[in-house]
Amino acid sequence: MNKKETMMKSKMLMLAGVAGMLMSSPTVDALADVQVNIGGGPRAAYVIDRPPRFIELATPGFSISYGAPYDIVLYGNNYYLYDSGQWYRSPRYNGPWRSVRVRELPPRIRRYRIEQIRRFRDNEYRRHRDRYDRRWREERRDDRRDDRWDDRRPDRWDGPGRN
């Protein structure tokens, strides 16, 4: 065998050895985690099942919810929800809520800390408690009336056809 054939044979053996090692190596599971956010930011899931009641605050020039589980500010055509140091915005009271930075809030809201906004709300509520409580009682009475008429059990029907 000449030198050329020997080199060729050694290369073939080396390639066969590498191929054998690759084929005999244990398989490795590759794990991947993919997250896709479309639309510019995470959306928070807050459940607000009925329109919140608002107190109009003349001094800051916007309205804030009362009797709701979250602080919701109504300004312009948007709702701004504050929860645990984070603001969210939505065109509807029940979401979807998009996270916003403080600098993205309207200047009229951004001008005040949440503690000041709450203090404005509490002071206004105390001054006109009767008006707000009366409105709340009327809404509750209307809700009970709606629940009664929405009851679809046959034994509750008051209309024609009841035996």
Side-chain angles (χ1 to χ4, degrees):
M1 271 208 282
N2 64 22
K3 189 175 177 181
K4 197 175 197 182
E5 289 175 353
T6 308
M7 291 274 291
M8 185 70 138
K9 190 174 185 181
S10 69
K11 284 184 182 181
M12 292 294 277
L13 285 173
M14 188 168 38
L15 285 174
V18 170
M21 286 187 334
L22 289 175
M23 290 174 59
S24 67
S25 67
T27 60
V28 177
D29 293 332
L31 299 174
D33 185 18
V34 178
Q35 292 183 0
V36 178
N37 289 325
I38 299 174
R43 293 185 182 220
Y46 291 97
V47 177
I48 302 172
D49 59 353
R50 66 179 50 220
R53 296 178 305 270
F54 287 94
I55 292 177
E56 189 172 335
L57 302 174
T59 300
F62 52 77
S63 299
I64 185 164
S65 64
Y66 70 97
Y70 308 104
D71 294 310
I72 302 173
V73 172
L74 174 60
Y75 179 71
N77 294 324
N78 286 302
Y79 294 87
Y80 298 89
L81 184 144
Y82 180 85
D83 184 37
S84 302
Q86 179 63 47
W87 284 96
Y88 302 90
R89 178 180 59 217
S90 175
R92 293 181 299 278
Y93 75 86
N94 57 355
W97 296 97
R98 180 179 306 271
S99 177
V100 294
R101 296 182 184 123
V102 172
R103 68 175 182 249
E104 295 171 338
L105 290 171
R108 193 164 288 211
I109 298 172
R110 188 175 57 222
R111 177 179 310 154
Y112 302 99
R113 292 187 324 274
I114 191 65
E115 294 82 13
Q116 291 173 297
I117 295 172
R118 289 173 180 155
R119 198 167 33 253
F120 288 141
R121 176 196 56 207
D122 295 346
N123 289 340
E124 178 69 16
Y125 182 82
R126 273 189 229 105
R127 261 184 273 168
H128 302 286
R129 180 184 314 240
D130 292 340
R131 177 175 49 179
Y132 295 118
D133 287 347
R134 184 177 42 238
R135 188 184 312 165
W136 182 81
R137 283 191 300 274
E138 289 170 359
E139 288 174 5
R140 290 297 303 145
R141 187 175 54 239
D142 292 344
D143 287 346
R144 285 192 298 271
R145 224 179 267 143
D146 291 344
D147 291 344
R148 185 184 69 218
W149 288 107
D150 196 31
D151 196 346
R152 293 185 174 95
R153 292 179 290 176
D155 62 324
R156 301 287 184 151
W157 290 349
D158 292 330
R162 181 166 181 197
N163 295 332

